[in-house]
Amino acid sequence: MKIVDVRATTVTVPLQAPLRHSNGAHWGRFVRTIVEVEADNGLVGLGEMGGGGQSAEEAVRGLRDYLVGHDPARTETLRFMLANPTASLYNNRTQLLAAVEFACLDLQGRHLGVPVHDLLGGRVRDHVEFASYLFFRYQAADGSGEVRTPEQVVAHARELKERHGFTVHKLKGGVFPPDYELECYRALAEAFPGDRLRHDPNGAWSPEDSIRFAAGIEGLRNDYLEDPTWGMNGLRRVRERTSIPIATNTVVVNFEQLAANVRDPAVDVVLLDTTFWGGIRPCVKAAGVCETFQLGVAVHSSGELGIQLATMLHLGAVVPNLSFAADAHYHHLTDDVIAGGPFRYRDGGIDVPAGPGLGVDLDRDKVAEYAELYRELGGYPYDRDPGRPGWYPLLPNTDWADPAAAGPVDLGGR
Ligand code: MG
């Protein structure tokens, strides 16, 4: 099998409501690039990456000269063809590498008639558990969907638990003052005494605020505190002052950082992201290192449609030391571009795809519909808050959103 073409299509798929985070928001939709790698036998492998538009599509098409003629089964060589670490000083292609790796694994699986997890050592589970990923949300255009108060956080979690069966809840914070978010977290703990919890302010807090928050949740059913503050040194300071495990998806995202964390621990749990690490296979390797050093592992979500979700499910299927439920933004989406409609949750998790390759196919009508929606709406500034024009956070942040500020937000047609 040889690669003959590489294609990219930007799509935007609506969310139920804008999702708030420490730097800004997802302005009511995700923008993603669908990557298709075609082989000389007519098979097409699927990949996906975050963001989109002309520059992203050109970056994907720019890989044609590297990939045409390459055997997609030679997955390991991709790392050196596309993202040699010495060349990456000038040209960081980690996310492109990930999208191409997904597509090449998909091609291999389709060619051999086996699911990707069979190419990765075989599954140790058929069903991957997920956390309910709770966000503070602005109102949608129709006025629905706001999550701002502790009561709304609990109601949102209850609705998701009833619909999907979640027994783990993750609250994305770093939006409101830490003490206010502590109140929301405690409300969740009180409402769901049998469930497990985690909080993730995306590194926005000072080490001191992080230590105070950790003290405030001691004794609750905490999985971990995720990236309370920025950087390995800040996280190490927090970790030395709490019994709650510290997790990261920000400062251990490659093998150099993983080695640094083994030599001088800053975090207890490594959240593996198939995009940030450059593919599914590097995540499997990293999980092996974590197994050796008895670090916790979970599957991270950087905002996905069904192709990327499939990569997360295949990863979750093959990692024996998956010690925590996975994360997904997926249940905030209103639709997907995969055939047969969106993946469905069952008992708080999703079944691992069993079909050849990643086990998902494109619904061409949906791709066309959401590519057109992208042409209509364009991108949005992920690191800007539509409710606070001109604001950007310091690190650590000292200027939080006002929890009393309710009402609609102007998305400016976006
Ligand atoms: Mg995180």
Side-chain angles (χ1 to χ4, degrees):
M1 204 169 30
K2 294 277 188 289
I3 293 171
V4 295
D5 196 15
V6 183
R7 298 185 288 273
T9 309
T10 307
V11 294
T12 193
V13 178
L15 295 159
Q16 293 163 353
L19 306 177
R20 306 177 69 174
H21 55 72
S22 68
N23 286 291
H26 294 286
W27 293 38
R29 56 205 169 78
F30 282 156
V31 174
R32 311 288 297 175
T33 301
I34 308 301
V35 175
E36 296 176 72
V37 177
E38 186 174 343
D40 56 358
N41 55 7
L43 292 173
V44 176
L46 300 177
E48 179 184 329
M49 63 180 194
Q54 195 177 349
S55 59
E57 292 179 11
E58 279 174 5
V60 173
R61 285 192 288 269
L63 300 179
R64 273 187 187 134
D65 288 346
Y66 296 77
L67 294 175
V68 168
H70 180 71
D71 179 352
R74 294 178 59 205
T75 327
E76 189 64 27
T77 58
L78 287 174
R79 179 156 64 99
F80 301 96
M81 286 169 62
L82 302 182
N84 185 306
T86 57
S88 291
L89 292 169
Y90 300 90
N91 193 353
N92 191 328
R93 297 199 187 103
T94 304
Q95 299 208 19
L96 289 163
L97 170 65
V100 170
E101 192 243 34
F102 302 160
C104 286
L105 289 174
D106 192 28
L107 273 174
Q108 290 175 55
R110 287 173 191 268
H111 182 58
L112 298 169
V114 299
V116 162
H117 54 72
D118 272 2
L119 304 171
L120 301 170
R123 70 192 190 283
V124 295
R125 61 184 66 80
D126 299 318
H127 187 77
V128 176
E129 186 186 13
F130 281 82
S132 79
Y133 202 161
L134 311 169
F135 281 77
F136 295 110
R137 309 199 307 190
Y138 282 120
Q139 289 179 7
D142 65 1
S144 68
E146 185 193 54
V147 179
R148 177 176 50 82
T149 68
E151 295 75 24
Q152 288 171 326
V153 170
V154 169
H156 183 38
R158 195 177 303 286
E159 182 195 343
L160 289 171
K161 182 179 174 69
E162 282 170 8
R163 187 181 307 164
H164 302 307
F166 298 122
T167 59
V168 181
H169 307 282
K170 165 171 166 170
L171 181 57
K172 173 51 57 87
V175 176
F176 297 120
D179 286 351
Y180 182 83
E181 295 191 356
L182 179 60
E183 196 185 326
C184 295
Y185 192 90
R186 282 183 174 148
L188 282 171
E190 195 177 322
F192 307 102
D195 291 358
R196 301 195 63 81
L197 301 171
R198 49 181 83 160
H199 195 84
D200 176 16
N202 274 18
W205 297 340
S206 66
E208 288 72 25
D209 279 341
S210 307
I211 292 163
R212 202 175 72 257
F213 187 98
I217 65 172
E218 289 273 0
L220 302 180
R221 299 195 75 205
N222 307 298
D223 272 350
Y224 46 71
L225 188 52
E226 179 175 337
D227 287 310
T229 196
W230 180 256
M232 292 184 87
N233 297 301
L235 290 169
R236 195 173 292 116
R237 281 194 59 210
V238 178
R239 183 175 181 270
E240 285 166 358
R241 288 162 177 78
T242 180
S243 65
I244 299 166
I246 301 297
T248 189
N249 67 276
T250 62
V251 296
V252 179
V253 292
N254 61 46
F255 288 93
E256 283 286 310
Q257 294 166 351
L258 182 54
N261 187 65
V262 167
R263 292 174 74 101
D264 191 3
V267 303
D268 306 283
V269 183
V270 178
L271 307 177
L272 296 170
D273 186 301
T274 54
T275 285
F276 295 172
W277 281 81
I280 309 176
R281 293 174 74 262
C283 289
V284 176
K285 288 185 192 176
V289 175
C290 291
E291 181 183 346
T292 303
F293 290 98
Q294 295 288 291
L295 294 166
V297 167
V299 175
H300 180 255
S301 161
S302 47
E304 63 284 320
L305 300 178
I307 299 165
Q308 176 121 25
L309 182 65
T311 71
M312 295 155 62
L313 291 166
H314 287 281
L315 172 63
V318 302
V319 171
N321 50 322
L322 187 68
S323 12
F324 299 96
D327 285 331
H329 291 71
Y330 196 67
H331 50 268
H332 292 278
L333 287 162
T334 60
D335 203 359
D336 199 350
V337 295
I338 58 173
F343 277 98
R344 290 178 190 82
Y345 288 90
R346 174 177 66 77
D347 299 332
I350 302 178
D351 291 339
V352 176
L358 291 171
V360 294
D361 292 303
L362 290 175
D363 179 329
R364 295 284 171 190
D365 291 339
K366 293 283 187 187
V367 172
E369 176 185 347
Y370 293 120
E372 177 57 31
L373 189 62
Y374 177 78
R375 282 190 288 275
E376 192 183 310
L377 298 176
Y380 65 84
Y382 165 85
D383 57 354
R384 286 293 177 271
D385 184 341
R388 309 174 77 193
W391 170 83
Y392 58 88
L394 301 180
L395 200 61
N397 188 20
T398 51
D399 182 14
W400 305 104
D402 179 1
V409 65
D410 181 8
L411 299 178
R414 294 190 289 199

